[in-house]
Amino acid sequence: MDAPTVAAAPILVAIDGPAGSGKSSVSRASAARLGFGILDTGAAYRALAWAARETGSDLDDEAAVLALLDSWRYSSTLIGDQRIGVLLHDGQSYRTYDVTAAIRDHAVSGQVSRVSKHPGVRERLNRMFREIVADSGLPGVVIEGRDITTVVAPDAPVRILMTASPEVRAQRRAGELEGLSHEQVLADIAARDAKDALVVDFMTPAPGVTLVDTSELDFEQSVQAVVDIVRAVQGAAEEGK
């Protein structure tokens, strides 16, 4: 009797980087070109903040947020347009909410740090991210967000730190944010970098992490840089078999 065929684990591409580095858009385009899925971990934190507000949970109480995690269910499309779903109990029964647009609301964005600051919450969500990738059934998944290369997926065969100079990141962000000048966005990025520097180094790659500086790269060149890194690792793996 033949042994059952075991599906190969998805190739995991972990991408970290500060705001304005091109991380999110480049990750999504790279995943599409490679035929991989894309998992935006920040969306899960946004969805949790939305759920906490919706249920009246205290976002600053770690035990309350962990209790919410016990009862909710999170879903995210990995291929095609991003759709985010949350399953919550409304007091009588479970109901599924499409929160794709709601989690991008400014009122939700401003609360994300209140749920992400809890170590237990981050540990639980990191476990969830790994399970989503493992159960994806895809040849590979690009996973992007904060602490991806060092905490969420430190053993990923491809780990990339995508960065750019503060001036370039401010220019890109200013083009996305109406009503704000380049100087205002640059000041905001500088403040955010200073805050991030207390817990993570977005400018120096950890051992085994490849640095991709997009300061002098356009969008297409940035995507190709990621694709080239992934294909080089795939090629080396094939040669090693």
Side-chain angles (χ1 to χ4, degrees):
M1 182 176 177
D2 293 336
T5 301
V6 178
I11 297 172
L12 187 55
V13 180
I15 301 182
D16 267 330
S21 62
K23 176 179 80 264
S24 297
S25 56
V26 170
S27 293
R28 185 164 293 277
S30 301
R33 188 167 302 180
L34 290 161
F36 289 4
I38 173 72
L39 179 59
D40 169 11
T41 60
Y45 285 99
R46 289 173 174 272
L48 184 58
W50 174 89
R53 286 166 52 86
E54 188 73 15
T55 59
S57 303
D58 184 349
L59 285 76
D60 297 311
D61 183 342
E62 183 171 18
V65 180
L66 287 172
L68 175 59
L69 278 172
D70 287 334
S71 63
W72 88 328
R73 293 293 181 275
Y74 173 82
S75 64
S76 172
T77 53
L78 300 181
I79 297 290
D81 293 338
Q82 185 185 62
R83 305 302 303 178
I84 305 297
V86 171
L87 182 69
L88 286 179
H89 199 278
D90 63 8
Q92 297 181 339
S93 61
Y94 279 97
R95 177 181 172 187
T96 301
Y97 299 83
D98 183 333
V99 297
T100 307
I103 63 172
R104 303 297 171 181
D105 186 90
H106 181 71
V108 173
S109 299
Q111 304 304 317
V112 173
S113 62
R114 293 174 64 188
V115 298
S116 65
K117 69 183 179 182
H118 304 302
V121 170
R122 297 187 69 83
E123 181 180 344
R124 288 275 292 275
L125 286 183
N126 287 344
R127 190 187 315 151
M128 182 187 79
F129 298 145
R130 297 184 191 107
E131 290 172 353
I132 290 174
V133 171
D135 296 339
S136 68
L138 296 169
V141 175
V142 176
I143 179 169
E144 62 98 352
R146 179 185 291 269
D147 299 338
I148 301 302
T149 61
T150 55
V151 178
V152 180
D155 299 321
V158 183
R159 294 185 295 151
I160 295 171
L161 175 61
M162 185 173 297
T163 189
S165 69
E167 291 76 18
V168 169
R169 288 189 284 131
Q171 184 176 17
R172 291 171 180 167
R173 294 286 287 174
E176 300 170 359
L177 303 173
E178 295 183 5
L180 293 180
S181 67
H182 173 79
E183 290 72 20
Q184 289 173 308
V185 177
L186 181 59
D188 180 66
I189 282 180
R192 184 167 177 173
D193 284 352
K195 184 177 179 181
D196 284 341
L198 299 176
V199 293
V200 63
D201 185 352
F202 273 142
M203 298 301 146
T204 306
V209 177
T210 302
L211 178 67
V212 175
D213 189 332
T214 66
S215 298
E216 302 296 328
L217 303 180
D218 61 22
F219 181 74
E220 172 58 30
Q221 291 170 327
S222 300
V223 172
Q224 193 59 50
V226 172
V227 170
D228 289 345
I229 292 168
V230 175
R231 287 181 174 158
V233 171
Q234 288 178 307
E238 286 297 321
E239 290 179 3
K241 288 183 179 179

